[in-house]
Amino acid sequence: MTDVTLREAVRADLPAILTLLADDALGRTREHATVDEAYERAFADITADPRNQQVVAERDGEVVGCFQLTYIPGLGRHGAQRALVEAVRVRADLRGQGVGEAMMTWAIDQARRRGCGLVQLTTDKSRADAHRFYRRLGFVASHEGMKLPL
């Protein structure tokens, strides 16, 4: 596993996070690498919400990965809380070097500490490499996800 440090993001990390989100075949179609009012507002909302964490992975003092972790209360599964992992990105030149595994291990450990009964995520159907990665970590494609853009 690569030597990375995971921590909650701070405002100064926002440009690096946006660069990661936009540096991707799908991300290029829906993200901008420039900080604007919408991204500022979203980051402020995430960091102010105790059920959300924006997380970055650092290697040698540089942000090389990111994800958002959201804790969702629910009545299903006997009132179990769920952890939702979203917007997972690892810098392109570091993929396959253990950064993503370190990030997901950290997220799963946080979910356990929080008492979650389930960790879930969505991944675009076109991301075959991501599907293999998540299966290797023990995730099962047990549901069909659906989205409605608004």
Side-chain angles (χ1 to χ4, degrees), residues 34-143:
T34 305
V35 177
D36 63 16
E37 186 178 317
Y39 286 128
E40 291 276 9
R41 186 174 45 253
F43 186 81
D45 287 347
I46 291 165
T47 57
D49 184 343
R51 293 193 176 277
N52 274 286
Q53 294 178 284
Q54 180 64 52
V55 179
V56 293
E58 275 188 332
R59 183 175 177 192
D60 299 325
E62 187 176 359
V63 173
V64 297
C66 65
F67 65 92
Q68 182 176 341
L69 186 57
T70 302
Y71 302 102
I72 306 168
L75 295 174
R77 296 180 182 256
H78 199 232
Q81 188 171 208
R82 297 168 189 249
L84 174 66
V85 182
E86 282 290 322
V88 178
R89 296 291 193 285
V90 172
R91 201 173 75 192
D93 64 320
L94 295 177
R95 292 181 189 143
Q97 296 184 32
V99 176
E101 184 172 349
M103 289 169 33
M104 293 306 298
T105 299
W106 189 93
I108 292 165
D109 288 346
Q110 292 298 307
R112 279 194 181 105
R113 278 190 209 103
R114 183 111 176 194
C116 293
L118 181 73
V119 176
Q120 62 189 33
L121 56 85
T122 60
T123 179
D124 193 274
K125 289 186 178 195
S126 68
R127 297 183 189 274
D129 291 341
H131 301 167
R132 281 189 294 278
F133 168 71
Y134 292 124
R135 280 193 300 269
R136 186 172 59 78
L137 295 178
F139 286 84
V140 177
S142 61
H143 292 69

Side-chain angles (χ1 to χ4, degrees), residues 13-14 17 26 57 93 129 144:
D13 297 320
L14 189 53
I17 294 167
L26 290 174
D93 64 320
D129 291 341
E144 184 75 18

